[in-house]
């Protein structure tokens, strides 16, 4: 069963990516990253013909792509397949995982609701906590003021997907989905888009006792309650990615130890996210 | 790459790396430049806001004491907008739970600094003007 899933997951993921890109292009004809973005998104959902369908298609396919891709990466990681890749290829793939999460995150910001705006501000201020270059680094991703959504838009629609496809181009070729997979993925996603309504969005000025970030950010949201931003929001992902990147370079027993440590940290973070999801961050 | 090739190509490669590094600096500076923009938020004249906390465009105006005081609504932790809780007379952040008293002083939570106090001026029709950085 698991053996059959192994080659299916990345193919399903790429099928989802195709639908995500296509629905994103359609949405770009109405979405504007300036002015009242919240109202613009609401109009897409309630006023523009088939807007809700395309919005949910984009949302569902994006989430599914990242979930399939994470499952595929975890499988590689648990089976220690990084040993069969060249260090360069492994580094490109690990970077691609980070980019996928960043694309999902910028999409969350671009909703333009209270959650999105707060997530963008938190990200900007967390980057500022990086010593020396933090202030400049934050300006590469989000800027306060009237053009708050412009840079996340630029990253979400052009820069990050471009770099992602470039980094994974040779890897993708191995997993190109067939017509049957594309068809199945399409049916599943359209059903999702038709049956699942978008989550109710909070207007930016609406009062709210609790605001939460995207699901993969919930663990950080919990950590940020107790630890300073640099230690709670910057160091854990940096350590995780540095650990993953260095795996192919380490010989046993150090390689084995780092592998074990990373499994422990990933499990801990997953538990933290789950707890925050169920009981609030 | 053999030795001869190395000495033929090496300097060009080194020059390429140097040129890239030199070009990266102005590119980075251009991309990260930020012009400081300010905005002025207008509130009604002082007698109208007695003993109330008003909120407008990222600014809270409180009229406790003889002079109105303006506080930034940005949480000093990571920048979410705090809300004023009338019952406890505190500012509360919905993101990570920091709490500030009515003067903006930090009471609990991960924030380390108080809410930023903003300069207040009075306009020619006695309206209250508060300037904040965007
Ligand atoms: S942003 Fe307010 S407590 Fe974190």
């Amino acid at each position: 069963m698991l053996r059959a899933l192994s080659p299916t997951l990345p193919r399903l993921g790429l099928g989802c990516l195709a639908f995500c890109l296509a629905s994103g292009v359609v949405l770009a004809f109405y979405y504007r990253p300036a002015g009242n973005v919240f109202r613009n998104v609401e109009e897409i959902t309630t006023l523009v013909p088939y807007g809700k369908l395309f919005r949910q298609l984009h949302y569902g396919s994006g989430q599914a792509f990242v979930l399939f891709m994470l499952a595929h990466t975890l499988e590689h990681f648990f089976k220690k397949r990084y040993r069969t890749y060249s260090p360069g290829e492994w580094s490109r793939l690990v970077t691609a995982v980070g980019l996928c999460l960043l694309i999902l995150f910028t999409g969350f910001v671009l909703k333009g609701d209270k959650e999105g705006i707060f997530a963008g501000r938190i990200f900007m201020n967390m980057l500022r906590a990086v010593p020396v270059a933090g202030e400049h680094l934050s300006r590469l991703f989000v800027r306060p003021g009237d053009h708050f959504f412009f840079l996340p838009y630029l990253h979400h629609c052009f820069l990050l997907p471009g770099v992602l496809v470039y980094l994974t181009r040779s890897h993708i070729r191995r997993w190109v989905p067939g017509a049957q997979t594309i068809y199945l993925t399409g049916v599943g996603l359209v059903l999702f888009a038709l049956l699942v309504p978008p989550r109710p969005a909070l207007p930016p000025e609406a009062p709210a006792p609790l605001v939460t970030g995207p699901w993969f950010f919930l663990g950080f949201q919990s950590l940020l309650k107790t630890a300073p931003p640099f230690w709670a929001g910057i160091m854990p992902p940096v350590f995780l990615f540095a650990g993953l990147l260095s795996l192919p370079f380490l010989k046993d027993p150090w390689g084995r130890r780092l592998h074990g440590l990373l499994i422990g940290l990933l499990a801990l973070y997953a538990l933290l996210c789950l707890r925050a999801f169920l009981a609030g961050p | 790459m053999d030795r001869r090739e190395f000495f033929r190509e090496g300097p060009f490669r080194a020059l390429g790396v140097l040129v890239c590094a030199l070009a990266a600096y102005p590119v980075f500076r251009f991309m990260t430049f930020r012009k400081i923009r300010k905005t002025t938020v207008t509130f009604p004249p002082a007698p109208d806001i007695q003993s109330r906390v008003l909120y407008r465009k990222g600014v809270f105006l409180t009229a406790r004491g003889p002079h109105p005081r303006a506080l930034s609504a940005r949480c000093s932790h990571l920048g979410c907008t705090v809300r004023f809780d009338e019952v406890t007379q505190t500012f509360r952040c919905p993101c990570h739970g920091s709490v500030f008293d009515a003067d903006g002083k930090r009471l609990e939570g991960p924030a380390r600094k108080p809410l930023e106090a903003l300069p207040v001026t009075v306009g020619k029709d006695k309206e209250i003007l508060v300037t904040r950085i965007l």
Side-chain angles (χ1 to χ4, degrees):
Chain A
M1 167 78 180
L2 274 180
R3 211 170 264 187
L5 262 185
S6 174
T8 313
L9 289 178
R11 294 205 168 95
L12 284 174
L14 284 180
C16 290
L17 179 65
F19 280 95
C20 189
L21 291 173
S23 53
V25 170
V26 175
L27 288 173
F29 277 81
Y30 200 87
Y31 183 86
R32 296 289 173 271
N36 192 336
V37 173
F38 176 74
R39 197 184 323 139
N40 181 263
V41 174
E42 284 300 294
E43 282 175 6
I44 289 177
T45 318
T46 56
L47 182 76
V48 186
Y50 301 105
K52 196 172 98 183
L53 174 79
F54 285 115
R55 191 185 159 196
Q56 282 304 81
L57 199 59
H58 190 61
Y59 168 76
S61 55
Q63 299 284 329
F65 164 63
V66 172
L67 286 174
F68 284 131
M69 192 265 320
L70 282 179
H72 177 58
T73 312
L74 282 178
E75 193 208 345
H76 271 47
F77 171 68
F78 282 120
K79 292 186 176 163
K80 299 189 179 167
R81 292 232 184 94
Y82 46 84
R83 289 181 172 159
T84 62
Y85 287 113
S86 71
E89 172 83 344
W90 177 248
S91 315
R92 281 195 287 277
L93 295 177
V94 170
T95 311
V97 176
L99 292 182
C100 284
L101 292 175
L102 215 50
I103 294 176
L104 216 56
F105 183 79
T106 45
F108 187 86
V109 174
L110 290 177
K111 291 187 301 161
D113 60 356
K114 198 175 187 100
E115 287 179 342
I117 293 174
F118 282 9
R121 282 202 215 145
I122 289 175
F123 187 65
M124 176 177 77
N125 287 312
M126 251 168 38
L127 286 177
R128 281 185 178 153
V130 173
V132 190
E135 183 63 45
H136 286 88
L137 206 58
S138 75
R139 289 182 203 160
L140 288 177
F141 291 95
V142 196
R143 295 193 185 196
D146 298 340
H147 304 295
F148 183 81
F149 295 100
F150 178 69
L151 285 179
Y153 181 73
L154 194 70
H155 290 304
H156 184 78
C157 300
F158 302 104
L159 299 181
L160 296 176
V163 178
L164 177 72
V165 171
Y166 177 74
L167 288 179
T168 51
R169 64 196 183 284
S170 58
H171 190 74
I172 282 178
R173 259 181 237 138
R174 257 178 256 170
W175 305 109
V176 174
Q180 202 183 359
T181 315
I182 295 265
Y183 181 74
L184 271 179
T185 320
V187 170
L189 288 171
V190 169
L191 279 178
F192 170 86
L194 288 173
L195 300 177
V196 180
R199 269 183 63 202
L202 270 179
E205 296 295 339
L210 178 70
V211 175
T212 51
W215 57 268
F216 56 89
F217 204 78
L218 288 175
F220 291 127
Q221 193 168 355
S222 300
L223 288 175
L224 283 165
K225 281 189 154 182
T226 46
F230 181 71
W231 294 107
I234 302 290
M235 281 321 278
V238 166
F239 179 79
L240 204 67
F241 277 98
L244 285 171
L245 287 176
S246 47
L247 275 174
F249 297 98
L250 293 179
K251 293 221 157 43
D252 281 343
W254 289 105
R256 211 177 41 232
R257 282 182 196 149
L258 180 64
H259 187 254
L261 180 68
L262 290 176
I263 290 179
L265 288 176
L266 282 171
L268 207 66
Y269 187 73
L271 280 178
L272 211 58
C273 286
L274 190 69
R275 190 194 139 266
F277 183 74
L278 296 174
Chain B
M1 189 190 295
D2 63 23
R3 253 168 78 132
R4 207 183 292 169
E5 229 178 310
F6 177 81
F7 282 111
R8 211 174 42 222
E9 305 247 318
F12 288 108
R13 288 194 181 187
L15 193 68
V17 171
L18 190 73
V19 168
C20 285
L22 285 177
Y25 181 72
V27 170
F28 185 70
R29 287 304 305 269
F30 180 90
M31 286 168 73
T32 60
F33 176 75
R34 180 185 164 208
K35 191 173 155 196
I36 302 288
R37 285 177 219 273
K38 289 182 178 175
T39 181
T40 302
V41 184
T42 311
F43 287 92
D48 301 348
I49 55 160
Q50 287 291 315
S51 70
R52 276 194 295 151
V53 175
L54 294 186
Y55 173 78
R56 246 176 221 184
K57 294 179 183 162
V59 176
F60 282 106
L61 194 78
T62 64
R64 293 151 54 92
H67 301 294
R69 262 192 98 199
L71 294 171
S72 167
R74 290 272 162 91
C75 176
S76 60
H77 181 223
L78 288 171
C80 293
T81 306
V82 298
R83 66 187 175 89
F84 187 68
D85 183 4
E86 296 279 353
V87 181
T88 55
Q89 293 287 300
T90 52
F91 293 102
R92 290 174 175 269
C93 181
C95 289
H96 313 106
S98 287
V99 182
F100 306 85
D101 72 9
D103 293 320
K105 217 170 78 196
R106 176 200 170 264
L107 295 178
E108 59 184 78
R112 289 283 156 262
K113 294 186 203 151
L115 294 178
E116 187 191 358
L118 299 170
V120 176
T121 51
V122 178
K124 53 179 192 313
D125 294 327
K126 298 243 168 46
E127 75 276 24
I128 296 169
L129 305 171
V130 182
T131 310
R132 74 172 176 93
I133 290 175
L134 275 176

